[in-house]
Amino acid sequence: MRWCHLFRVDRPLRPGSRFAPAVWAVLTIAIAGSAVGCGPTKAGVGGPEAVDPLRLAQVLPTPSGMIDDGAARKGLLEDIQPALAGREDPGGVERLRVAGFVAGALREWTTEDGGRLTAVLTVWDEKITATNVGAGSVGLLSDEPGARAWTPSKIPGSQGVKVGDPVTQQALSSGVGENLIFLRAEGPVPEPAIVRTMELAIKTARGGLIV
């Protein structure tokens, strides 16, 4: 059995970091492959529960107090990887491809005082891949100075992190079947805008309102 390395950590985690075990578990081994290797098992097509990420991005409303920063757009892995990780990593693009990336889309909103909220919506070949990619992406922020774990009470089971006081970065992730819903906020983005966007995306994906 082989293991896929989806993300690369460019600097060590701080000794004693309370996030370290979980982050290394996700970032170092992330996803177990099948006995014959790790990669797509469905020939590049989403499973029966998958929702078209572009359609999902298109139906998300603009959060209250924010400004739509252009139409929803299809995302290639070269666009998706830095949106998930917060930085470009050509090797990470290939690792995500091998892991079973199927399709992706992006949608962005801004605030008048410089905040930005990005919805990164993707489909993966397997549910566990979607969940682990989201956890790994959240984990990349977890060792930043001032980082703390965050799970909104309205979205039990989600994985999130906030950085700084006042908050300068936020990330929130939730897997819905083969779909990964990942939100990244930079600058002054109100928490209710993130939570409400996640709630609506999850409800839409679970309800099968779009196909």
Side-chain angles (χ1 to χ4, degrees):
M1 179 178 289
R2 297 189 297 146
W3 298 90
C4 295
H5 298 257
L6 301 186
F7 298 92
R8 182 179 63 210
V9 178
D10 294 322
R11 56 185 174 80
L13 299 178
R14 293 197 307 272
S17 168
R18 64 192 178 94
F19 295 98
V23 172
W24 279 117
V26 173
L27 300 188
T28 304
I29 62 177
I31 297 168
S34 68
V36 296
C38 58
T41 60
K42 301 175 186 174
V45 297
E49 298 179 32
V51 172
D52 181 349
L54 181 58
R55 296 287 301 280
L56 179 56
Q58 290 169 337
V59 302
L60 288 177
T62 297
S64 176
M66 299 197 74
I67 304 165
D68 197 345
D69 191 31
R73 65 187 189 278
K74 181 178 179 180
L76 301 176
L77 253 183
E78 289 75 12
D79 307 309
I80 297 297
Q81 183 276 323
L84 288 173
R87 58 178 179 267
E88 293 185 358
D89 176 6
V93 171
E94 182 57 27
R95 287 187 289 274
L96 292 176
R97 192 187 318 279
V98 170
F101 174 79
V102 175
L106 298 165
R107 181 87 181 271
E108 296 180 292
W109 302 273
T110 59
T111 65
E112 292 184 351
D113 50 356
R116 178 174 295 275
L117 175 61
T118 303
V120 188
L121 309 169
T122 53
V123 175
W124 301 84
D125 266 357
E126 297 187 8
K127 297 178 184 179
I128 189 63
T129 309
T131 299
N132 282 350
V133 169
S137 300
V138 168
L140 290 174
L141 278 179
S142 66
D143 201 51
E144 293 293 324
R148 56 194 182 277
W150 168 49
T151 300
S153 59
K154 292 184 177 180
I155 315 175
S158 63
Q159 296 177 296
V161 62
K162 289 175 176 282
V163 178
D165 186 15
V167 175
T168 57
Q169 298 183 77
Q170 302 171 79
L172 187 62
S173 174
S174 183
V176 181
E178 290 92 351
N179 285 84
L180 169 62
I181 302 167
F182 182 83
L183 303 179
R184 176 182 294 279
E186 298 172 309
V189 175
E191 180 179 313
I194 302 171
V195 173
R196 183 58 176 160
T197 299
M198 180 62 80
E199 284 184 302
L200 292 173
I202 291 173
K203 182 177 180 180
T204 302
R206 285 180 176 168
L209 300 181
I210 56 176
V211 294

